[in-house]
Each structure stands twice: as C-alpha cells, then as structure tokens.
Amino acid sequence: AQKVTQAQTEISVVEKEDVTLDCVYETRDTTYYLFWYKQPPSGELVFLIRRNSFDEQNEISGRYSWNFQKSTSSFNFTITASQVVDSAVYFCALSGGVSGGYQKVTFGTGTKLQVIP
Amino acid sequence: GAGVSQSPSNKVTEKGKDVELRCDPISGHTALYWYRQSLGQGLEFLIYFQGNSAPDKSGLPSDRFSAERTGGSVSTLTIQRTQQEDSAVYLCASSFNSGGAGTQYFGPGTRLLVL
C-alpha cells in the first residue's frame, strides 16, 4: 500500500521568510514517482515537479527547491523568500510502479500555506 | 494547446436527481482520471481510464457512481440518485503515458452541491 503524509496542516509565514513543506511517503515499490502540486484559492491544481526514485539530486527552480531523500522517504519542498502569491494548498503525491500501478497517484492531505504581507 | 476542461463549472441539484459531469482532456493524452475533493480535504481517487477502458474503478464510492469514456477522449462521470454527501468538487486530470508515470494535468473542477 502507498501512503503520503503531510504532517503540517497549516503554516503561516511573513512575506520574505523561507518555508519548508514536509512530505513523507511509504511504498514497497523500488520504482516510483513523486510529485508536488499547488492549489491556489482559485481551485485549479497546478503541477510543480515530478521526480523519479532513481534521481536523488535536489532540484531548484527559481525560489522553489526540492530535497529528495530516499533514506528517510522524504520529499520536502522549500520556498525561499515567500510571497503572498505563494499562498495556496500544496499537495505531495506518489505514484508506484508495482503495487499501486504507475497510473494511480496517492495524494497527501495537503498543507495550507498562508503568506502574510 | 488547451488544457483540461470540465463542465459544468458549478452544479446545484436536488437530492435524488441524477447528474452528469463532463471532462475534456488535453488532446493526445491517453489516460484520464477522476478525483473527488470534499471541502478542505485532499483528493480522493475515483477512477482511471486508459483509452476507453477503465482498469481501475476501485475508488468509486458506490454503485450510484459510473463513468465512461468514448473515442479515447471525452469522459462523463454520472452520479445517480444524488445524496448530500456527494457534494464536493469533482476534478478530472489527464496524462500522456510514456512508460513511466505520466504527469497528470488537472482541470478546474466541477463544484457539485446537492441540496
């Protein structure tokens, strides 16, 4: 069975602060994919990143960075110098290759981030 | 090109009525997914289509829920005899399968309210 845990339900930060959103996953698959999605107040889920289990390199995209650590089954997401536009619910997700099937994606319950001006 | 579109964007219905929700995936995407998101909750997987077939229907909550996909494109999610607990946002996503996990791209959702 697959599971994604986002322990932080809600986080509030002041604009320009850095913030890290935690994601811990469980899977028995040796090949799997991890995702982050953003859901702004408008409601539409926006794809941010996909990472496969063989690539543990950290990734940076502008103010966003992701830290994938297989040893701790974590795929954390950091926003540097947060902005009000970053206010949204962020979902971490997992797609497995064997037990879950590649195409079934298990989502975490989301972390609501509020950036206060 | 155009993203995933869903219609209607909002639907208000009375308990006991049937509703149909439509999803138009990104052109060329072979896989299509339906999810349900209740207020303030995460995403609940409902059903997945590969082409016109549905290899995974495990998430459909009851036999009142059904879905079909025709021509490898548009999909319809039907809820019969709606109940108040069916009120939620129904999200559709599509992906292009390339041997790995295709990234799912989501539509704006249909907000269903059952009175």
Side-chain angles (χ1 to χ4, degrees):
Chain A
Q2 298 181 137
K3 186 177 179 182
V4 175
T5 301
Q6 295 180 255
Q8 305 149 307
T9 306
E10 290 193 38
I11 302 176
S12 288
V13 298
V14 176
E15 199 170 22
K16 297 184 183 175
E17 285 184 348
D18 298 348
V19 59
T20 295
L21 309 182
D22 298 333
C23 173
V24 174
Y25 62 92
E26 295 176 29
T27 181
R28 286 180 288 185
D29 296 321
T30 54
T31 303
Y32 52 89
Y33 293 80
L34 294 161
F35 305 81
W36 275 95
Y37 286 87
K38 174 183 179 179
Q39 188 175 40
S42 60
E44 190 158 346
L45 277 150
V46 177
F47 165 75
L48 296 178
I49 189 172
R50 181 181 88 164
R51 174 55 52 83
N52 75 54
S53 52
F54 296 112
D55 182 3
E56 287 193 72
Q57 274 195 325
N58 291 332
E59 180 153 344
I60 298 174
S61 176
R63 296 184 297 107
Y64 295 172
S65 62
W66 290 270
N67 185 335
F68 176 29
Q69 302 223 344
K70 279 176 92 167
S71 59
T72 55
S73 297
S74 65
F75 186 43
N76 296 339
F77 172 31
T78 297
I79 302 174
T80 303
S82 59
Q83 299 176 2
V84 173
V85 293
D86 297 327
S87 297
V89 179
Y90 291 86
F91 290 96
C92 179
L94 166 69
S95 177
V98 177
S99 57
Y102 275 111
Q103 307 309 323
K104 183 171 179 178
V105 181
T106 301
F107 283 81
T109 51
T111 296
K112 183 176 181 179
L113 173 65
Q114 183 177 20
V115 181
I116 303 166
Chain B
V4 178
S5 60
Q6 292 186 246
S7 61
S9 53
N10 291 281
K11 177 73 177 179
V12 181
T13 190
E14 293 179 349
K15 178 181 172 182
K17 295 280 179 70
D18 297 352
V19 295
E20 280 190 359
L21 313 180
R22 176 187 167 108
C23 173
D24 208 333
I26 292 172
S27 178
H29 279 193
T30 54
L32 186 147
Y33 313 78
W34 283 99
Y35 295 87
R36 180 167 70 175
Q37 187 176 29
S38 301
L39 188 62
Q41 302 298 308
L43 275 73
E44 176 189 2
F45 169 81
L46 298 179
I47 189 170
Y48 148 62
F49 286 92
Q50 178 60 43
N52 291 336
S53 64
D56 191 350
K57 305 179 184 180
S58 62
L60 293 176
S62 76
D63 58 8
R64 297 186 296 105
F65 287 72
S66 63
E68 65 175 14
R69 189 180 186 197
T70 55
S73 183
V74 172
S75 174
T76 303
L77 177 69
T78 301
I79 309 173
Q80 295 178 309
R81 305 181 302 281
T82 52
Q83 303 294 313
Q84 288 179 331
E85 60 263 28
D86 299 334
S87 296
V89 177
Y90 289 82
L91 293 165
C92 175
S94 69
S95 72
F96 177 71
N97 298 342
S98 58
T103 298
Q104 296 182 25
Y105 294 91
F106 284 80
T110 293
R111 286 160 180 74
L112 175 65
L113 177 61
V114 182
L115 300 175

